[in-house]
Amino acid sequence: GRPAKGKTPRRPPLKKTSHTQKDPVGVYCRIRPLGATDEECCIEMISSTTIQLHAPDGIKANRNGEYKETQYSFKKVFGIQTSQIELFEDVAKPLVDDLIHCKNGLLFTYGVTGSGKTFTMTGSPGEGGLLPRSLDMLFNSIGPLQAKRFVFRTDDKNGMEIQGQVDALLERQKRESNQQSTVPKTPSSKQKPDPEFADMISPEEACKCEGVDEDSCYSVFVSYIEIYNNYIYDLLEDAPIDPIRPKPPQSKILREDQNHNMYVSGCTEVEVKSTEEAFEVFWRGQKKRRIADTQLNRESSRSHSVFIVKLAQAPLDADGDHILQDKNQVTVSQLCLVDLAGSERTSRTKAEGSRLREAGNINQSLMTLRTCIEVLRENQMCGTNRMVPYRDSKVTHLFKNYFDGEGKVRMVVCVNPKADDYEETMLVMRFAELTQEVEVARPVDRPICSLAAGRRHRNQAFRDELSRRQEDLPALPACELVDPTDEQILPRLIEVLERRHRIRQMITEQYTRTANTLKSMLQEFDGHLVAKENFIQEQRGKLGEKDKIMFNQKNEMDRLEKKSKMLEYKIDILQKTTNIYEGDKRSLQQELESREQRLQRELSERKRMEARMQGMVSDTKHQWEKECERRVNAKQLEMQNKLWVKDEKLKQLKAIRPPPPPDKPQRNSREKDQPRAPEKRSRSPLPVSCYCIAFSLSHLSVSPSLSVASVISEWEQRFPIGRDPPGTPGAYGTATPYGSSSVGRRRGQRWAPETEAPGPSHTHGLDLESSSRTTGTPIRPHHRRSHSAGGQRWVDHKPLSNLDLDTVMQPIIPNAIKVSAASEKALSKCHKYVLTHQELASDGEIQTKLIKGDVFRTRGGGQAVQFTDIETLRQECPTVSSRKRRSSGDGSGQYNGNKMDWNDRENRVSCPHYCPSLIHLG
């Protein structure tokens, strides 16, 4: 039936022949010179293919505590004295040669951060790296064979199209006239090159490829991308710049073309015609690449960069004059030059914020690459068919085709021999050793074009000969014919034309003779070819007869071999019977030796078990000692708390008891029985009853240059807590029960010293006093209360200098972000802001102020805080005078005829009209 819409049918797997030749991944090692001569070196180059790692001082390489030296082998090792041209000759030059011969290639650098990967790939002025030298060799080889601009054109599906000469000319004129086109204009090769890369390669080091097909036309396209935080960005994309609202670059996606090759969709591909032009395009993208300063590298790459060189070539027509207008004859090969970001440990780089996220993504992508290599190796060596996780990372997904056999893969492992990178270098060496065991299918050669070779050369020779013959013809006289009966000019012109006609006839006759001669030679060659074919047929018949004779001889040999095997089998039986006794003797000796070895193993195992049991006994004893000590400490702490509660209750009872008469000072019976406490004793923690909370609002105008503490001090000087602000119409109070929990009983029951005894209207010990005042235009006419328990998001700002008072009443704000320093990132996520500020009160106690405000965005893109409320939590010591003894002894807790509990006092002073204070961030 018809498949459901929206589902892609499963593609059958590619059939690979068993006789496909494979090559291992070429892994090279390059050692970077030390930064200082006095640094410790942990890498030694033993030979041109082997290095040895020494564990530096202070690092034990194995569990036995002994120093371990490890050796690793590579295809070739380049020491600290290796020049860039030597590295290019061995590593990148074969890949450029394959690129010209229609084969793909992948070259990437791998190593720890700061090991010289970017220098190896890019280089520096005077010491060009692998990338500029590859471009130089490519253009030196195909320079005179390049097609004109826009003859080849990409089709945005990883393919290539061919345009006619007229269409290409029209597009060139259109690009030159339209300067505001969306397609980036390729830089002209006639411009003066940038001095930063003008002298990358000296003329003496220039090289070219041999064996280039001269009967084809070539065109080079380059693209430059980076993989940052597992997103792909186009470094050559010229996005419109908006100075008011700049837009971040848009990430690209990976797609699969009709040949199942991966490519970056929508990536900019620039056609270049020279080395300088190509490197200028590379340098333009290099300036957009993300780099950062870390503690290990001043210019650390924070992304993986991929520079793709795509070479399109198409054969010439039979005349060798124009490109063959057939899309199926176009061959596209590409070379990917990858500069991987270095793996790093955050414990060494001290990365934070975005740097930490970048390092995590870099390490994750490199770990995915390692996993893919391990699965490929396991599938090849063990014959398994596990799925390779290419899609887990953009790096591995982009280069999936190379590991599946679409081209050569080479890796340059860069190492830093200093001792600080020893552990990371060990991991890099293990990965390199693992990669060398992976084999990649060798790419097949392209089919040979059916047209005759040497077409371009013959066409050029024909043109040269034609121009030479035209020069031999007599030139027409310079004359002006006015009268058709002119008897001077016409005879001269007729004579010249007759001479030219005779020469043309001679050339035509010579051409006819040459053609006949060539035709006869071709007929003679055809005759020889037919004779050769007949001779080959005769030889094939003879060869068939020889094959029959060889087949009969082979059958005879097989019969004789079977007979000889039968005789050998009988001889083996006789040898086995004669060796039975010797075998029994050896078996008995081996059994005796095995029993002795088993006895020795049992003895050693018994000793190990005894030592292990002794260790377990000592560990268990140590654990139980710690557990007993912890339980004793917990019990002591519990008893101290109980003793403290009893002391507090005794103090409260003493405070409630009326003072004795002056004429009869005496101690109660309980105090007489107990010994007198010493004068100096450690002060126990204050009970919860010592807290008096006053909520206040400020009417201040704070400039941005003042601090929050100065604003609070100014407000307190203008409006002390003990009196109402000016303009207060009155006060009101509401009674709220505190409850009869155990916490309330421990707190003690009293009234604050600055308030009077409750009147008849008060029914509970918690008295709320509030006042309001009106100054200026009201901003919020309604009464404002704390929104700490609401559904809005808060920023809870508690400086590190605040003290933990261990009080019962604590400001608890749910759904809050706790910070020790105000930041724009935290303020952007919340609507409310509260600052916990501690200072010393006039009575010597610590009072805590909660300064609250609203958070809103500013026009400049930052965050601002508008202070709206201040809540004060003050701790007071109880005094005997503040306690009021109940008038009656019936235990009902009545005072002045009103029944009430003894609780702390909470004062709240609110100002519904105020001038908010501002703090601007960002």
Side-chain angles (χ1 to χ4, degrees):
R2 187 176 181 181
K5 186 177 181 181
K7 293 184 178 180
T8 303
R10 185 175 182 181
R11 184 174 69 246
L14 298 177
K15 296 182 179 180
K16 295 185 179 180
T17 57
S18 58
H19 62 272
T20 302
Q21 297 181 349
K22 294 185 177 182
D23 296 324
V25 176
V27 181
Y28 302 83
C29 179
R30 187 180 192 183
I31 305 175
R32 172 183 175 172
L34 287 171
T37 56
D38 56 346
E39 286 186 348
E40 184 180 2
C41 180
C42 64
I43 296 179
E44 179 184 358
M45 181 177 174
I46 298 178
S47 65
S48 60
T49 59
T50 308
I51 64 172
Q52 182 171 341
L53 267 68
H54 307 276
D57 297 338
I59 297 180
K60 302 297 181 181
N62 55 6
R63 296 181 179 179
N64 297 330
E66 300 176 356
Y67 292 105
K68 185 178 180 182
E69 297 178 351
T70 54
Q71 293 184 359
Y72 298 94
S73 298
F74 300 89
K75 193 170 184 179
K76 191 169 184 180
V77 177
F78 301 94
I80 59 177
Q81 303 296 334
T82 304
S83 62
Q84 297 279 55
I85 184 64
E86 295 176 3
L87 181 68
F88 171 77
E89 289 285 342
D90 291 328
V91 178
K93 187 176 180 179
L95 296 180
V96 179
D97 187 72
D98 289 346
L99 176 69
I100 298 175
H101 292 87
C102 306
K103 297 179 183 178
N104 299 331
L106 171 62
L107 173 63
F108 60 94
T109 57
Y110 183 85
V112 185
T113 179
S115 58
K117 299 182 297 301
T118 304
F119 175 77
T120 300
M121 184 60 68
T122 307
S124 62
E127 297 180 354
L130 300 178
L131 190 147
R133 293 183 186 275
S134 300
L135 294 173
D136 185 66
M137 176 180 174
L138 176 62
F139 285 104
N140 289 341
S141 303
I142 66 170
L145 307 178
Q146 294 187 76
K148 294 183 179 180
R149 291 187 189 273
F150 307 118
V151 173
F152 291 93
R153 186 179 64 178
T154 57
D155 59 357
D156 296 333
K157 294 181 181 179
N158 204 30
M160 200 68 63
E161 297 178 349
I162 301 178
Q163 292 190 127
Q165 298 291 337
V166 179
D167 295 336
L169 179 61
L170 292 176
E171 189 167 354
R172 285 196 297 271
Q173 294 176 353
K174 181 179 178 182
R175 297 295 178 89
E176 291 175 359
S177 61
N178 189 10
Q179 297 294 334
Q180 303 297 327
S181 177
T182 56
V183 179
K185 180 181 178 183
T186 55
S188 175
S189 58
K190 298 181 180 180
Q191 297 177 356
K192 187 176 181 181
D194 195 325
E196 293 184 359
F197 55 84
D199 55 350
M200 276 283 187
I201 304 172
S202 60
E204 297 80 13
E205 298 177 350
C207 58
K208 61 183 300 184
C209 176
E210 301 295 337
V212 181
D213 185 9
E214 296 182 353
D215 295 326
S216 299
C217 279
Y218 301 86
S219 186
V220 180
F221 296 84
V222 296
S223 57
Y224 197 16
I225 62 173
E226 72 169 351
I227 303 175
Y228 176 73
N229 287 338
N230 210 23
Y231 289 97
I232 300 177
Y233 298 98
D234 185 5
L235 296 177
L236 301 181
E237 184 178 16
D238 289 341
I241 301 176
D242 190 356
I244 300 177
R245 297 182 63 184
K247 296 182 180 179
Q250 297 293 326
S251 61
K252 305 297 181 181
I253 60 176
L254 290 176
R255 294 188 183 276
E256 192 176 36
D257 61 5
Q258 59 182 359
N259 296 324
H260 311 301
N261 295 324
M262 304 305 300
Y263 71 99
V264 181
S265 178
C267 180
T268 304
E269 294 182 347
V270 183
E271 185 178 7
V272 291
K273 295 299 180 184
S274 65
T275 305
E276 293 78 10
E277 186 178 349
F279 202 72
E280 184 177 353
V281 173
F282 165 77
W283 202 255
R284 186 179 68 191
Q286 185 74 2
K287 293 178 180 179
K288 296 182 181 180
R289 189 182 176 190
R290 292 173 173 88
I291 59 174
D293 185 9
T294 63
Q295 290 195 2
L296 300 182
N297 193 353
R298 187 170 59 88
E299 294 183 357
S300 176
S301 302
R302 312 310 296 170
S303 62
H304 309 300
S305 66
V306 182
F307 189 77
I308 303 174
V309 181
K310 187 177 293 186
L311 179 64
Q313 50 183 305
L316 296 175
D317 55 9
D319 296 334
D321 193 12
H322 300 290
I323 299 177
L324 193 63
Q325 298 292 322
D326 186 2
K327 185 178 180 180
N328 297 325
Q329 295 293 334
V330 179
T331 306
V332 181
S333 56
Q334 66 180 14
L335 173 63
C336 294
L337 303 173
V338 186
D339 182 13
L340 295 177
S343 59
E344 58 185 36
R345 291 187 178 182
T346 55
S347 58
R348 295 183 59 200
T349 58
K350 308 297 181 183
E352 296 178 354
S354 59
R355 298 288 88 81
L356 181 61
R357 181 188 176 193
E358 293 167 356
N361 286 299
I362 291 171
N363 295 336
Q364 179 64 32
S365 61
L366 296 179
M367 183 60 66
T368 304
L369 176 61
R370 182 186 180 95
T371 304
C372 294
I373 294 296
E374 290 176 351
V375 175
L376 282 172
R377 174 180 172 272
E378 181 180 351
N379 291 341
Q380 293 176 3
M381 299 188 67
C382 303
T384 58
N385 194 18
R386 288 180 56 193
M387 185 186 69
V388 184
Y390 290 119
R391 292 179 177 269
D392 291 352
S393 174
K394 291 294 192 301
V395 176
T396 54
H397 194 194
L398 179 60
F399 303 124
K400 177 179 77 72
N401 307 104
Y402 289 94
F403 292 102
D404 290 343
E406 292 295 333
K408 286 186 179 179
V409 180
R410 293 197 173 184
M411 179 175 69
V412 180
V413 177
C414 300
V415 293
N416 196 337
K418 67 178 182 179
D420 295 339
D421 293 343
Y422 173 76
E423 295 182 357
E424 289 87 348
T425 303
M426 286 284 292
L427 299 177
V428 171
M429 292 293 106
R430 292 171 186 171
F431 173 69
E433 192 175 34
L434 191 71
T435 306
Q436 291 183 106
E437 300 178 0
V438 176
E439 293 182 347
V440 178
R442 184 178 299 174
V444 296
D445 296 331
R446 67 165 182 170
I448 302 175
C449 183
S450 59
L451 298 176
R455 300 184 299 278
R456 183 191 294 269
H457 180 69
R458 290 198 304 271
N459 185 27
Q460 186 65 31
F462 173 75
R463 289 182 178 181
D464 295 341
E465 182 66 20
L466 183 61
S467 61
R468 187 180 64 80
R469 292 296 179 92
Q470 288 179 354
E471 292 177 357
D472 294 341
L473 294 175
L476 296 175
C479 58
E480 183 178 358
L481 185 61
V482 179
D483 188 4
T485 60
D486 193 346
E487 296 179 356
Q488 294 182 357
I489 298 177
L490 286 178
R492 293 169 51 194
L493 187 59
I494 291 172
E495 182 182 0
V496 172
L497 291 176
E498 288 178 352
R499 290 171 55 191
R500 291 172 66 92
H501 181 65
R502 287 194 297 270
I503 294 174
R504 283 183 180 274
Q505 285 182 349
M506 292 174 58
I507 295 174
T508 303
E509 292 176 357
Q510 184 180 0
Y511 172 75
T512 303
R513 289 195 300 270
T514 306
N516 293 331
T517 305
L518 182 61
K519 187 175 181 180
S520 62
M521 291 175 63
L522 289 175
Q523 291 176 355
E524 184 179 357
F525 287 151
D526 290 339
H528 289 302
L529 183 61
V530 171
K532 294 291 183 183
E533 287 180 353
N534 295 332
F535 177 75
I536 291 174
Q537 291 294 336
E538 293 177 0
Q539 295 297 326
R540 284 179 179 175
K542 295 180 180 180
L543 184 62
E545 295 177 357
K546 297 291 184 182
D547 289 338
K548 291 180 180 180
I549 297 174
M550 290 177 62
F551 181 74
N552 296 331
Q553 292 178 355
K554 185 178 180 181
N555 292 335
E556 183 67 19
M557 290 175 62
D558 292 338
R559 188 182 64 81
L560 295 175
E561 285 179 357
K562 289 181 180 179
K563 186 176 181 180
S564 64
K565 287 182 180 180
M566 182 63 67
L567 295 175
E568 290 177 357
Y569 177 71
K570 291 180 180 180
I571 293 173
D572 291 339
I573 292 176
L574 294 175
Q575 288 180 350
K576 288 179 181 179
T577 56
T578 56
N579 295 332
I580 288 177
Y581 296 106
E582 295 180 359
D584 293 340
K585 181 181 178 179
R586 286 195 298 269
S587 63
L588 292 174
Q589 290 178 352
Q590 290 177 358
E591 184 178 359
L592 180 61
E593 293 176 356
S594 63
R595 290 189 177 182
E596 291 179 354
Q597 292 177 359
R598 188 185 308 168
L599 180 61
Q600 293 295 332
R601 286 197 300 270
E602 290 178 355
L603 291 176
S604 61
E605 184 68 23
R606 182 178 178 183
K607 292 181 181 179
R608 283 199 298 270
M609 289 296 295
E610 291 178 355
R612 185 178 177 184
M613 291 302 295
Q614 290 179 0
M616 292 178 61
V617 169
S618 60
D619 293 343
T620 308
K621 181 180 179 181
H622 184 63
Q623 291 178 358
W624 276 107
E625 288 178 355
K626 287 186 176 180
E627 181 66 20
C628 293
E629 184 178 356
R630 185 187 64 78
R631 292 184 181 182
V632 169
N633 293 336
K635 196 66 178 178
Q636 290 179 356
L637 182 60
E638 182 181 359
M639 297 302 296
Q640 289 177 2
N641 291 337
K642 290 182 179 180
L643 182 60
W644 175 80
V645 171
K646 290 182 179 180
D647 289 343
E648 292 300 325
K649 289 182 178 181
L650 182 59
K651 290 180 183 180
Q652 294 174 6
L653 291 174
K654 287 181 180 181
I656 295 173
R657 186 181 64 82
D663 53 346
K664 294 181 180 181
Q666 60 181 358
R667 298 162 61 188
N668 53 19
S669 59
R670 184 184 177 104
E671 292 178 350
K672 290 179 181 180
D673 297 336
Q674 295 179 354
R676 185 175 181 85
E679 292 294 330
K680 295 182 180 179
R681 59 178 296 184
S682 60
R683 183 182 180 184
S684 60
L686 293 177
V688 184
S689 61
C690 299
Y691 288 92
C692 174
I693 304 176
F695 301 87
S696 306
L697 292 175
S698 64
H699 181 196
L700 298 174
S701 179
V702 181
S703 63
S705 62
L706 297 179
S707 63
V708 177
S710 62
V711 172
I712 297 173
S713 301
E714 182 183 354
W715 184 84
E716 290 177 348
Q717 291 176 6
R718 295 176 59 184
F719 309 111
I721 298 177
R723 62 181 181 87
D724 294 339
T728 304
Y732 62 94
T734 57
T736 304
Y738 185 80
S740 60
S741 64
S742 61
V743 177
R745 291 193 298 270
R746 286 198 304 268
R747 291 176 54 196
Q749 300 163 343
R750 67 176 186 85
W751 296 102
E754 59 267 31
T755 58
E756 297 179 358
S761 61
H762 297 84
T763 60
H764 297 282
L766 185 61
D767 184 18
L768 272 69
E769 299 176 3
S770 62
S771 63
S772 62
R773 60 190 179 87
T774 304
T775 57
T777 305
I779 298 178
R780 290 178 176 82
H782 59 278
H783 176 68
R784 181 174 178 82
R785 63 184 295 275
S786 175
H787 291 282
S788 301
Q792 294 178 333
R793 200 82 183 270
W794 286 78
V795 176
D796 190 2
H797 180 187
K798 291 184 179 180
L800 298 176
S801 59
N802 286 2
L803 301 177
D804 190 5
L805 301 180
D806 296 332
T807 59
V808 175
M809 301 182 69
Q810 293 284 346
I812 300 176
I813 303 175
N815 194 21
I817 298 177
K818 297 183 179 182
V819 296
S820 60
S823 63
E824 184 181 359
K825 181 178 179 182
L827 291 175
S828 62
K829 299 179 181 178
C830 303
H831 307 86
K832 298 292 184 178
Y833 172 86
V834 59
L835 169 64
T836 304
H837 174 67
Q838 291 183 351
E839 62 182 11
L840 200 63
S842 60
D843 54 359
E845 298 294 339
I846 296 177
Q847 66 177 5
T848 305
K849 295 186 177 182
L850 305 179
I851 306 169
K852 301 183 294 183
D854 298 331
V855 180
F856 60 92
R857 293 179 57 87
T858 62
R859 295 181 178 178
Q863 304 292 331
V865 178
Q866 180 178 5
F867 291 122
T868 60
D869 198 357
I870 299 178
E871 298 181 9
T872 304
L873 289 84
R874 188 171 63 246
Q875 184 176 353
E876 298 178 353
C877 293
T879 58
V880 179
S881 59
S882 62
R883 302 292 184 180
K884 303 294 184 178
R885 186 174 183 182
R886 288 172 290 185
S887 58
S888 61
D890 55 358
S892 59
Q894 296 180 355
Y895 181 75
N896 290 338
N898 295 329
K899 183 178 180 179
M900 61 198 319
D901 296 332
W902 297 88
N903 290 330
D904 286 347
R905 186 192 60 178
E906 177 182 354
N907 291 337
R908 180 180 179 90
V909 181
S910 62
C911 300
H913 306 290
Y914 51 89
C915 178
S917 303
L918 292 176
I919 286 183
H920 190 279
L921 295 177

